[in-house]
Amino acid sequence: MLRVGIGYDIHRLVKERQLVLGGVTIPYHLGLEGHSDADVLVHAIMDAMLGALSLPDIGYYFPEDNVNYRDISSLKLLEEVSEIIKKKSYYMINLDSVIIVQQPRISSYIGEMKNNIARVLQVKENVVGIKATTHEKLDAIGRNEGIAVQAVALLEKNG
């Protein structure tokens, strides 16, 4: 049985935060605002995975009022979501995502992001798709006020 889920997340860019995408710290003068490390890419991926099985979103599993998740690496949260999926007897067939970001340019970091996500999900790198696009200077993302990500996950039941 195949199941498809979509995920979407957006975070505001702010001063005095690191910019973390796909578990990669990218040198930049702004970072993403959030309770955890605010890794918008990993957050969208987790929601896509959970959505594929009609499970609640990441806010249910990792609430902002829980101090245990303050500044935690989103890759650790992805490990937990991966375990939830495995316990339901599903595994990742394909994952695709698009990062919508005006600045900074991130194409040179995509390989490392794919490697991090594939390692955590225990899949081959060619299962993980990550692309980046700008917003052509339109709206809040185009004004460099935030970064958004869309993700799609295809899961299959074991056996």
Side-chain angles (χ1 to χ4, degrees):
M1 175 186 274
L2 296 175
R3 301 287 301 253
V4 176
I6 61 170
Y8 174 82
D9 200 16
I10 186 169
H11 285 264
R12 180 183 312 275
L13 282 164
V14 295
K15 294 179 181 178
E16 300 180 16
R17 288 279 295 188
Q18 288 187 325
L19 177 57
V20 179
L21 293 171
V24 178
T25 302
I26 298 171
Y28 194 56
H29 69 281
L30 300 173
L32 294 169
E33 183 177 59
H35 184 67
S36 66
D37 64 3
D39 189 330
V40 67
L41 172 60
V42 174
H43 293 184
I45 289 169
M46 290 187 291
D47 272 341
M49 293 169 65
L50 293 166
L53 298 184
S54 301
L55 297 172
D57 67 16
I58 61 173
Y60 173 85
Y61 293 98
F62 314 111
E64 287 186 7
D65 60 358
N66 186 328
V67 295
N68 293 325
Y69 301 123
R70 182 79 186 142
D71 296 325
I72 192 170
S73 167
S74 293
L75 291 178
K76 290 183 181 177
L77 304 179
L78 181 60
E79 283 182 52
E80 291 188 37
V81 169
S82 182
E83 286 303 313
I84 292 167
I85 300 306
K86 287 177 186 172
K87 285 179 182 173
K88 300 276 186 189
S89 298
Y90 278 84
Y91 67 97
M92 182 71 66
I93 294 285
N94 188 56
L95 172 64
D96 194 23
S97 60
V98 60
I99 305 167
I100 307 157
V101 55
Q102 196 65 41
Q103 287 293 327
R105 299 290 181 184
I106 61 168
S107 59
S108 63
Y109 302 98
I110 288 177
E112 191 177 352
M113 291 178 206
K114 288 177 67 166
N115 180 276
N116 287 341
I117 292 164
R119 177 180 40 79
V120 169
L121 295 178
Q122 299 177 338
V123 298
K124 293 182 180 178
E125 258 188 69
N126 66 358
V127 169
V128 179
I130 301 173
K131 301 170 296 302
T133 189
T134 68
H135 230 228
E136 301 297 330
K137 299 185 180 179
L138 296 171
D139 75 20
I141 294 172
R143 291 187 303 271
N144 209 39
E145 296 172 16
I147 298 175
V149 174
Q150 297 175 346
V152 178
L154 176 63
L155 305 179
E156 185 171 26
K157 186 129 178 122
N158 284 324

